[in-house]
Amino acid sequence: MKKTIFIDIDGTLRNDEKKLTKESIEAVKLAVKNGYQIVLCSGRSREHCVNVSKECGASNYIINSNGAEGYDYQNQKVIYQDLFSNKDKLALWNFAQKYNLEVAFNCGKIRYITKNYRNGDLKDNDKYFENIEEILDKDVVQALLG
């Protein structure tokens, strides 16, 4: 029987500066050596979780977007997704527009963001979008408004 440890990333595996410490990496390696499968869990996007998992030597399985998606990055296979309907995407978009809120939609490998999202600071897998029609055909697993 496979033994599995589920670990949150921010504030648990990584420190308050969002850095993986040598001790955390060694702990993951020791657990793996002793037969444990380490699955990283986070509210963050798929690609972010994949990168951290690879960096610390955890398993190829991740749970991202606050549990809305389970993913096997070795086999590039979605295990589970809880997707937003177009009706929900439109409702969130209209609410954000009404109150001039920042918007980010996590969609698999890509995070679509509005130009005002976190001062327009694009990360590795971010793309700008300007209207909701660009998102309606996307598989959205998480929406962030700020």
Side-chain angles (χ1 to χ4, degrees):
M1 176 168 59
K2 193 85 163 175
K3 300 174 276 186
T4 304
I5 299 172
F6 296 88
I7 301 176
D8 181 50
I9 293 176
D10 292 328
T12 305
L13 183 65
R14 297 191 320 172
N15 63 20
D16 291 338
E17 286 98 40
K18 299 187 189 310
K19 303 283 184 202
L20 275 173
T21 64
K22 180 180 169 185
E23 293 81 10
S24 291
I25 293 170
E26 288 175 3
V28 168
K29 288 180 181 177
L30 181 62
V32 170
K33 181 180 174 185
N34 285 296
Y36 289 88
Q37 175 174 258
I38 306 297
V39 176
L40 300 189
C41 308
S42 180
R44 293 186 178 259
S45 67
R46 178 195 298 170
E47 279 305 297
H48 178 82
C49 295
V50 167
N51 292 337
V52 174
S53 185
K54 288 178 179 179
E55 185 179 354
C56 73
S59 77
N60 53 293
Y61 299 104
I62 58 164
I63 298 172
N64 58 281
S65 298
N66 289 321
E69 183 175 75
Y71 188 71
D72 171 355
Y73 62 81
Q74 181 177 345
N75 295 302
Q76 298 183 1
K77 181 179 180 184
V78 172
I79 299 165
Y80 171 80
Q81 277 184 328
D82 186 13
L83 300 176
F84 281 77
S85 69
N86 280 348
K87 179 181 174 184
D88 290 337
K89 292 177 211 175
L90 285 165
L92 288 167
W93 178 254
N94 290 333
F95 182 82
Q97 293 301 294
K98 180 177 179 179
Y99 295 102
N100 194 33
L101 300 175
E102 305 170 344
V103 180
F105 288 113
N106 286 345
C107 307
K109 287 187 169 190
I110 306 297
R111 181 173 70 163
Y112 293 90
I113 65 172
T114 54
K115 292 206 181 212
N116 66 340
Y117 188 78
R118 298 194 177 160
N119 300 316
D121 185 23
L122 284 175
K123 303 289 187 210
D124 293 338
N125 294 299
D126 290 348
K127 289 188 178 181
Y128 288 127
F129 79 100
E130 294 185 13
N131 64 56
I132 194 63
E133 285 75 25
E134 298 171 63
I135 303 300
L136 292 178
D137 66 335
K138 309 290 187 232
D139 289 341
V140 175
V141 295
Q142 184 178 34
L144 306 165
L145 305 178

